[in-house]
Coordinates of all heavy atoms in Angstrom, one line a residue:
T1 N 92.0 80.9 91.0 CA 92.7 80.1 92.1 C 93.4 78.9 91.6 O 94.5 78.6 92.0 CB 91.6 79.7 93.2 OG1 90.9 80.8 93.6 CG2 92.2 79.0 94.3
T2 N 92.9 78.3 90.6 CA 93.6 77.2 89.9 C 94.9 77.6 89.4 O 95.9 76.9 89.5 CB 92.7 76.5 88.8 OG1 91.5 76.1 89.5 CG2 93.4 75.4 88.2
G3 N 94.9 78.7 88.7 CA 96.1 79.3 88.1 C 97.2 79.5 89.2 O 98.4 79.2 89.0
L4 N 96.7 80.2 90.3 CA 97.8 80.4 91.4 C 98.1 79.1 92.0 O 99.5 78.9 92.3 CB 97.1 81.3 92.4 CG 97.9 81.5 93.7 CD1 99.2 82.2 93.3 CD2 97.2 82.4 94.7
N5 N 97.3 78.1 92.1 CA 97.7 76.9 92.7 C 98.8 76.3 91.8 O 99.8 75.7 92.3 CB 96.5 75.9 92.8 CG 96.9 74.6 93.4 OD1 97.3 73.7 92.7 ND2 96.8 74.4 94.7
N6 N 98.5 76.3 90.5 CA 99.5 75.7 89.6 C 100.8 76.5 89.5 O 101.9 75.8 89.5 CB 98.9 75.7 88.1 CG 97.9 74.7 87.9 OD1 97.7 73.8 88.7 ND2 97.0 75.0 86.9
I7 N 100.9 77.8 89.8 CA 102.1 78.5 89.8 C 102.8 78.2 91.1 O 104.1 77.9 91.0 CB 101.8 80.0 89.8 CG1 101.3 80.5 88.5 CG2 103.0 80.8 90.2 CD1 100.6 81.9 88.5
E8 N 102.2 78.1 92.2 CA 102.8 77.9 93.5 C 103.4 76.4 93.6 O 104.3 76.1 94.2 CB 101.9 78.0 94.7 CG 101.7 79.5 95.0 CD 101.0 79.7 96.4 OE1 100.7 78.7 97.0 OE2 100.8 80.9 96.7
R9 N 102.7 75.4 92.9 CA 103.3 74.1 92.7 C 104.4 73.9 91.7 O 105.0 72.8 91.7 CB 102.1 73.1 92.4 CG 101.1 72.8 93.5 CD 100.1 71.8 93.3 NE 99.3 72.1 92.0 CZ 99.4 71.5 90.9 NH1 100.2 70.4 90.8 NH2 98.6 71.8 89.9
G10 N 104.6 75.0 90.9 CA 105.6 74.8 89.9 C 105.0 74.1 88.7 O 105.9 73.6 87.8
A11 N 103.8 73.9 88.5 CA 103.2 73.1 87.5 C 102.9 73.9 86.3 O 102.5 73.4 85.2 CB 101.9 72.4 88.0
S12 N 103.1 75.3 86.4 CA 103.0 76.1 85.2 C 104.1 77.2 85.2 O 104.6 77.5 86.2 CB 101.6 76.8 85.1 OG 101.4 77.8 86.2
D13 N 104.3 77.7 84.0 CA 105.2 78.8 83.8 C 104.5 80.1 83.6 O 104.1 80.3 82.4 CB 106.2 78.4 82.7 CG 107.3 79.4 82.5 OD1 107.7 80.1 83.5 OD2 107.9 79.4 81.4
P14 N 104.4 80.9 84.7 CA 103.5 82.1 84.6 C 104.2 83.1 83.8 O 105.4 83.3 83.6 CB 103.4 82.5 86.0 CG 104.7 82.0 86.7 CD 104.9 80.7 86.0
K15 N 103.3 83.9 83.1 CA 103.8 85.1 82.3 C 104.2 86.1 83.3 O 103.9 86.2 84.4 CB 102.5 85.7 81.6 CG 102.0 84.8 80.5 CD 100.8 85.5 79.7 CE 100.2 84.7 78.8 NZ 99.0 85.4 78.2
A16 N 105.1 87.0 82.7 CA 105.7 88.1 83.6 C 104.5 88.9 84.1 O 104.6 89.4 85.3 CB 106.7 88.9 82.8
S17 N 103.4 89.2 83.3 CA 102.4 89.9 83.7 C 101.6 89.4 84.9 O 101.2 90.2 85.7 CB 101.5 90.3 82.6 OG 100.9 89.1 82.0
T18 N 101.5 88.1 84.9 CA 100.9 87.4 86.0 C 101.7 87.5 87.3 O 101.2 87.9 88.4 CB 100.6 86.0 85.7 OG1 99.9 85.8 84.5 CG2 100.0 85.2 86.8
L19 N 103.0 87.4 87.2 CA 103.8 87.5 88.4 C 103.8 88.9 89.0 O 103.8 89.2 90.1 CB 105.3 87.1 88.1 CG 105.5 85.5 87.9 CD1 106.9 85.3 87.5 CD2 105.1 84.8 89.2
R20 N 103.8 89.9 87.9 CA 103.7 91.3 88.3 C 102.4 91.6 89.1 O 102.4 92.3 90.1 CB 103.8 92.2 87.1 CG 104.4 93.6 87.3 CD 104.8 94.3 86.1 NE 104.3 93.8 84.8 CZ 104.9 93.1 83.9 NH1 106.2 92.8 84.2 NH2 104.4 92.8 82.7
A21 N 101.3 91.1 88.6 CA 100.0 91.2 89.2 C 100.0 90.6 90.7 O 99.5 91.3 91.6 CB 98.9 90.6 88.4
L22 N 100.7 89.5 90.9 CA 100.7 88.9 92.2 C 101.6 89.8 93.0 O 101.3 90.0 94.2 CB 101.3 87.5 92.0 CG 100.3 86.4 91.5 CD1 101.0 85.2 91.0 CD2 99.2 86.1 92.4
Q23 N 102.8 90.2 92.5 CA 103.6 91.1 93.4 C 102.9 92.3 93.8 O 103.0 92.7 94.9 CB 104.9 91.3 92.6 CG 105.9 92.2 93.5 CD 107.2 92.4 92.7 OE1 107.6 91.7 91.8 NE2 108.0 93.3 93.2
E24 N 102.2 92.9 92.9 CA 101.5 94.2 93.2 C 100.4 93.9 94.3 O 100.3 94.7 95.2 CB 100.9 94.8 92.0 CG 102.0 95.4 91.0 CD 101.4 95.8 89.7 OE1 100.2 95.7 89.4 OE2 102.2 96.2 88.9
A25 N 99.7 92.8 94.1 CA 98.7 92.4 95.1 C 99.3 92.2 96.5 O 98.8 92.7 97.5 CB 97.9 91.2 94.7
L26 N 100.4 91.6 96.5 CA 101.1 91.3 97.8 C 101.7 92.6 98.4 O 101.6 92.8 99.6 CB 102.3 90.3 97.6 CG 101.8 88.8 97.4 CD1 102.9 87.9 96.8 CD2 101.1 88.2 98.6
E27 N 102.2 93.4 97.5 CA 102.8 94.7 98.1 C 101.6 95.6 98.6 O 101.7 96.2 99.6 CB 103.5 95.4 96.9 CG 104.9 94.8 96.6 CD 105.5 95.3 95.4 OE1 104.9 96.0 94.5 OE2 106.8 95.2 95.3
A28 N 100.4 95.6 98.0 CA 99.3 96.4 98.4 C 98.9 95.8 99.8 O 98.3 96.6 100.5 CB 98.2 96.3 97.3
A29 N 99.0 94.5 100.1 CA 98.6 94.0 101.3 C 99.6 94.2 102.4 O 99.3 93.8 103.5 CB 98.3 92.5 101.0
G30 N 100.8 94.7 102.0 CA 101.7 95.0 103.1 C 103.1 94.3 103.0 O 103.9 94.4 103.9
I31 N 103.4 93.7 102.0 CA 104.7 93.1 101.8 C 105.7 93.9 101.1 O 105.3 94.6 100.2 CB 104.6 91.6 100.9 CG1 103.8 90.7 101.7 CG2 105.9 91.1 100.5 CD1 104.4 90.1 102.9
I32 N 106.9 93.8 101.5 CA 108.0 94.5 100.9 C 109.0 93.5 100.3 O 109.4 92.7 101.1 CB 108.7 95.5 101.8 CG1 107.7 96.6 102.2 CG2 110.0 96.1 101.2 CD1 108.3 97.6 103.3
F33 N 109.4 93.6 99.0 CA 110.3 92.7 98.5 C 111.7 93.4 98.5 O 111.8 94.5 98.0 CB 110.0 92.3 97.1 CG 108.7 91.4 97.0 CD1 107.5 92.0 96.8 CD2 108.8 90.0 97.1 CE1 106.4 91.3 96.8 CE2 107.6 89.3 97.1 CZ 106.4 89.8 97.0
E34 N 112.7 92.8 99.2 CA 113.9 93.5 99.4 C 114.9 92.9 98.3 O 115.1 91.7 98.1 CB 114.5 93.2 100.8 CG 113.6 93.8 101.8 CD 114.0 93.6 103.2 OE1 114.5 92.5 103.5 OE2 113.9 94.4 104.0
A35 N 115.7 93.9 97.7 CA 116.7 93.5 96.7 C 117.9 92.9 97.3 O 118.1 93.0 98.5 CB 117.0 94.8 95.9
A36 N 118.7 92.3 96.5 CA 119.8 91.6 97.0 C 120.8 92.4 97.7 O 121.4 92.1 98.7 CB 120.6 90.9 95.7
G37 N 121.0 93.7 97.3 CA 121.8 94.6 98.0 C 121.5 95.0 99.4 O 122.2 95.5 100.2
Q38 N 120.2 94.7 99.7 CA 119.6 95.1 101.1 C 119.7 93.9 102.0 O 119.5 94.1 103.2 CB 118.2 95.5 100.9 CG 117.9 96.8 100.1 CD 116.5 97.0 99.9 OE1 115.8 96.2 99.2 NE2 115.9 98.1 100.4

């Protein structure tokens, strides 16, 4: 939770794998990330 808090506040520079894990968790919960062309 501390790691996520730091990421959301911009206090840390997350690894790509961490952002990927967050994106996958959000997608599994029902979020769709739309690309620029959409």
